Amino acid sequence: MSTPRFQLRSSIGKKLLNGITGVLLLLFIVAHLAGNLTIFVGKDALNAYAATTHSLGPLLIVIELGLAAVFLAHAGSAISVWRDNQAARDTRYAVSKSKGAASKQTVASRTMIVTGLVLLAFLILHLWQFRFGPTTPAYQTTLPGHAGEVWNLHLIVVETFKNPIWTALYVAVMILLGFHLRHGFWSAFQSIGLLNPKLRPLAFSAGVIFAIVIAVGFVLLPIFVFLAHDPNAGVA
């Protein structure tokens, strides 16, 4: 009888792990985007979002460690599956084919490992800037309904995206994220066995729509801050 560890190391096990962690990351991305878009309500709304998150205390650390484990498991399983696929190929074909139907392979699907690694590197930069950003008194502010001072995330966002280089970088990476999600969305559900042949075309189209919505949502924030006449005032 095969053990869970052995099953996890199998090709099916790796794809299943990649699919499960992929779905979890899709949910996280949606939640993170929703939090980011509070900037369009106003600077207090964004700072309240940050303050609420930080108020979780030790629970926040547990959540972040869990997310880190999911990210690493997703990246590790993706790299392992990619290496298995590379090793299984005796030759490279100029045109990819699928038995019995047109191939679903696209540029996005064939470059998933590259875009994934770029996004992983960007994530480290993103955490350095916004999760572990400056905490000096200059980056503290008051917030209606909150006792004492809170972290001024809005100020950090404004300082970052008033710089055209950072704005251009974030816009480019968010477009790349959409490109990655273009294939990753339906592939995640396919890997965990939730898609039958009838549902695959629908999931494929839903993946395109999802990728566009997420990319546009994340791109709007840096562009809004960069173009705003008075970004410190937010939208009121």
Side-chain angles (χ1 to χ4, degrees):
M1 181 179 295
S2 58
T3 64
R5 182 179 181 184
F6 176 79
Q7 292 174 353
L8 191 60
R9 288 184 174 182
S10 69
S11 177
I12 295 177
K14 293 173 185 176
K15 290 180 180 179
L16 180 61
L17 177 61
N18 190 252
I20 293 174
T21 53
V23 171
L24 292 175
L25 291 178
L26 291 176
L27 294 174
F28 167 73
I29 288 172
V30 172
H32 188 51
L33 175 60
N36 286 357
L37 292 181
T38 57
I39 194 172
F40 291 100
V41 179
K43 64 178 181 180
D44 285 346
L46 182 64
N47 286 336
Y49 160 65
T52 300
T53 301
H54 287 170
S55 69
L56 296 175
L59 179 58
L60 177 60
I61 297 177
V62 173
I63 294 173
E64 289 178 331
L65 290 176
L67 279 171
V70 171
F71 271 103
L72 292 175
H74 186 71
S77 59
I79 293 172
S80 186
V81 169
W82 176 77
R83 290 179 63 183
D84 289 347
N85 290 339
Q86 292 296 107
R89 292 176 183 172
D90 294 327
T91 58
R92 294 177 180 269
Y93 294 92
V95 179
S96 299
K97 297 181 180 180
S98 295
K99 293 182 179 179
S103 173
K104 287 297 185 183
Q105 287 197 21
T106 62
V107 175
S109 67
R110 290 191 290 269
T111 58
M112 286 291 283
I113 192 67
V114 176
T115 56
L117 290 174
V118 172
L119 291 171
L120 183 60
F122 167 79
L123 176 62
I124 297 173
L125 173 64
H126 183 66
L127 289 173
W128 170 70
Q129 283 186 305
F130 295 107
R131 175 60 182 92
F132 304 104
T135 57
T136 60
Y139 291 91
Q140 300 293 315
T141 187
T142 57
L143 191 64
H146 286 257
E149 294 188 326
V150 299
W151 189 44
N152 196 345
L153 175 61
H154 186 272
L155 176 59
I156 298 175
V157 170
V158 169
E159 288 183 346
T160 299
F161 295 129
K162 272 307 185 181
N163 184 319
I165 297 177
W166 281 120
T167 297
L169 175 62
Y170 268 77
V171 168
V173 174
M174 290 305 100
I175 292 174
L176 187 67
L177 172 64
F179 193 69
H180 188 80
L181 294 176
R182 159 76 169 76
H183 175 76
F185 179 90
W186 79 272
S187 178
F189 292 101
Q190 170 78 5
S191 296
I192 59 180
L194 294 183
L195 300 182
N196 59 42
K198 293 183 179 180
L199 288 177
R200 285 172 193 166
L202 177 61
F204 196 70
S205 299
V208 175
I209 297 173
F210 180 82
I212 293 174
V213 170
I214 293 297
V216 170
F218 276 116
V219 162
L220 283 176
L221 189 152
I223 291 179
F224 164 72
V225 173
F226 180 74
L227 296 178
H229 294 295
D230 187 10
N232 286 306
V235 178

